[in-house]
Amino acid sequence: MLPKLLAPAGNMDKLIMAVEYGADEIYFAGKSMGMRAGGKNFSQKELEEGIEYCHKHGRKSNITVNIVPHNDDLIGIEEYLKYLQKIGADALIVADPGLIDIVKQTVPDMRIHLSTQANTTNYHTANFWYRQGVNRIVLARELTFKEIEEIVKKSPKDLEFETFVHGAMCISYSGRCLLSSFMTGRFSNKGDCAQACRWKYNIVEEKRPGEYYPIEENDEGTFIMNSKDMCMVEHLDRFKEIGIKALKIEGRNKSEYYTAIAVRSYRNALDELEKPREERNTVYWKEELEKSSHRDFSYGFFFGNPYKDGQLYNTSSSYIRTYDVVGIIRSYDKGTKTALIEQRNKFSEGDLLECFGPKGRHFEVIAKNMQDEAGNKIDSAPHPQQMIKIEMNEEVEPYFILRKKVD
């Protein structure tokens, strides 16, 4: 059986994109208790709509309540948990042992997924959490395939394991960081990380203010804590072999385009595991992931400690961006072979675009016969979320995406 594919959703648009592009489970948060306070997250009404949308399409909804709470954070928690159960949440992602105890007492039938924030790195710890009622463990990111295989073998058969396979890595152990709170007063473990590890640093001697010394030979400073992004799309068969039940994509604060590209690539690569190796398109899916905004890729800790290969020592934390999403297909008229597109970035008549949907490879499109929604001829689409029409001979469906290579 193939592992389940988990996708992030920072808002309803990203949730819809994750579902449409093939995620089995979506993880998202309400306005409190989630580890991505910087994102808009979901109001109560949106939580209900999101869960309903998942269920309508046969997908699971995993709600994050995985901050490391202080006393004040627990005020009203029982009512919130009961509400999540009432609206149909399939599982809760939890990190704190006290909060797990509250979940077991308040909503005893709710599935509990242990967050990577709990730092599970060995089978004794896995067995401990199983005895506390945990159904699935999101393993620490600092584990090798060999270590994970031993954990799975020495744990109960009905205990599920989940691992991150794609997205940003953290310099601190599975995200348990105090640097942000120390430097900015923003608490990483309560979902408000300032990403101080991505900043540029120099040394200043106390009696020589204003004289900055680079920590290494680089006149722009140093980036000793700046981790590469993880990308494991080439090694999904290994996760299947060792019994991992779920594979997780990071990125609730990233764009709809990122969500679509990441889910599409991993969905197709996973499905292709049932084909002979020579018929798989792994190289293509890796190339597609490189077309989303990302840092340099690494394999994380799966093949051992990456040491310097896991860090970006001589560059800033700026993302690599080679393509812009320029529009999302909203409808297609087969008779006139015309697509209605909601604009995301400017493009013009004659531009070479790439179009893709959930399945199969992308194809090229020349932007031609551009019209506004009223049918008036236009030369470009400069206005955000402008509705336009272009001629497209290839049949497309809603949520297909148009992108343009960045000059």
Side-chain angles (χ1 to χ4, degrees), residues 153 176 241 306:
K153 285 181 178 178
R176 294 294 288 265
E241 289 167 3

Side-chain angles (χ1 to χ4, degrees), residues 50-66:
I51 292 172
E52 181 181 2
Y53 193 88
C54 287
H55 291 171
K56 178 182 177 181
H57 292 82
R59 316 300 166 83
K60 296 287 183 66
S61 57
N62 301 338
I63 308 302
T64 62
V65 286
N66 60 338

